[in-house]
Structure formats: C-alpha cells, structure tokens
Amino acid sequence: MTDSYGGYRARLVEALREQGIRDMAVLRAFGETPRHLFVPEALRRRAYDDAALPIGHGQTISQPSTQAQYLGALDLQGRERVLEVGTGSGYQAALLSHLVPRVVSVECVRELAEQAMAALAAAGVQNVLVIAGDGSLGWRPEAPYDAVLVSAASPAVPEPLLHQLAEGGKLVVPIQRGSTQELVRVVRRGDTFAHDHLGEAHFVPLRGRHGFPQGEA
Ligand code: SAH
C-alpha cells in the first residue's frame, strides 16, 4: 500500500506494538489497511489516531487497539471463514481480509452497508461480502464459520450465531451487564460451548431480533 498516509500507518502499528499487540499478522494487517478510506473525509487527519471516530447514523468506527485485541482473541491461523456482525465503516472487515480468505460482514443500517462496500472497493478488498440485514441472525448461506466477531454489545450471546459456528470455532461478543460490558469468547466443541472472559468492552448496542430494542441500552 503506497499512499501519503504510510508514515501515519507505521506510527499506528508502532503504537499498537507498544500496547502489547504481538501478533505479527495482525500488525501487518494494520500496516496494510488504509483506515483513512473508512472515516468521513472531514476526519481523515485523525484517521490513524488510536481512537474511535463517528461514521454517521450514530455509529462509530471502533478504536484500533480494541480491534487488535479482538483479532488477537480469535487467534486466526489464516484459513478461516469469518462472520462479522456490525460492518460499520468496513474497516474491521478490511483488516480481516488480510488475515483470512473469506469474510462475510452483516450491517443493519443499509446506508452504512453501502458506504462500507464502496470503501472496501476503494481499498481494493475483494474477499469480503457485505450483507445489509440483521446480523443477530447470522448469515446461513455461508455457515458454518470458524470465527464470528460481534462488533456491537448484546444482551446475551445470540443463539443463531452459536449454531453457525464450526467445530472448534470461536465467537467473540461484548455482553452488556448493567451499565458495563464484558468481552466474552465462546469456543465450540461438539455441542458444548466453553466461555471465557476477556475484560471490559465499549461498544454501541446490538439491534435486531437478538439485540436490544431501539431506544434501549
Ligand atoms: N466494526 C465496525 C464498527 C462497528 S460499530 C468498524 O470497523 O467500523 C457497530 C455496528 O453494528 C454499527 O454500524 C451498527 O449499525 C451495527 N449493528 C448493530 N446491530 C446490528 C445487527 N443486528 N445486525 C447488523 N449490524 C448491526
């Protein structure tokens, strides 16, 4: 990726490294993904800050260090089929596109889904399918998934996403508990699902059938 933002990108990678992100493939993905194409034009100056930024429709592009933590929790090996719930800007999907061969990403706000598709195309990403719809239901046509990331806080782990996990598959989802959120990882072994907790999270609420009704949370 050669553009005038290369120096900023290198600094972002350095900042992530200083925060303890060690996964080389993840760091490389941040070095190769043009985040400025995924933020509104007026905010491009700040595109490589380690900060969440508004993307319209009351939504945000998540903080890079949070996304790096997420990717680390999935421990991707490079062969997985991945489902993302909450495309938002499309940036996380673009990062994933460097790490795995296939990404399906579902976004419930149609305008954001369309914006994300345009940004992904501008970034030259070809292995991400963006669907406009309710991602709390997953996306059956391409299931099962080796990894599922939910980029919005949910009242509980959405059932359909568990059913769409492959054997040994991992799901990462922020769960809302009162006024705080906790990042939870679920690993599937046959019909059992092992949970572990990865610390605090800060995400916008999940909507849709298995999310929060509009106006709540
Ligand atoms: N990963 C994104 C940030 C996601 S913000 C990025 O890299 O920019 C969370 C997104 O989840 C918002 O865009 C919101 O509209 C979307 N969302 C919330 N509930 C959803 C649902 N049920 N299905 C699909 N998308 C949902």
Side-chain angles (χ1 to χ4, degrees), residues 38 55 57 59-62 67 84-93 106-109 112 133-137 151-152 203-209 211:
F38 296 87
I55 54 171
H57 302 274
Q59 304 301 336
T60 55
I61 179 171
S62 312
Q67 295 183 305
E84 177 189 32
V85 178
T87 315
S89 66
Y91 179 64
Q92 179 82 280
V106 188
E107 170 57 52
C108 64
V109 178
L112 286 179
D134 178 5
S136 79
L137 301 171
S151 300
F203 285 86
V204 298
L206 182 76
R207 303 297 177 198
R209 174 97 57 91

Side-chain angles (χ1 to χ4, degrees), residues 126-208:
Q126 295 185 335
N127 54 345
V128 175
L129 171 68
V130 176
I131 306 285
D134 178 5
S136 79
L137 301 171
W139 179 250
R140 292 263 300 276
E142 294 210 23
Y145 300 97
D146 306 296
V148 178
L149 317 70
V150 185
S151 300
S154 182
V157 184
E159 266 307 304
L161 303 183
L162 292 176
H163 296 306
Q164 292 175 32
L165 259 189
E167 172 60 24
K170 298 191 183 88
L171 177 156
V172 183
V173 55
I175 300 292
Q176 188 81 40
R177 300 196 202 284
S179 58
T180 61
Q181 294 174 12
E182 190 174 27
L183 198 55
V184 171
R185 178 172 49 195
V186 182
V187 180
R188 178 173 201 165
R189 301 269 172 232
D191 286 330
T192 62
F193 296 89
H195 290 59
D196 65 337
H197 299 261
L198 307 173
E200 223 186 298
H202 304 277
F203 285 86
V204 298
L206 182 76
R207 303 297 177 198

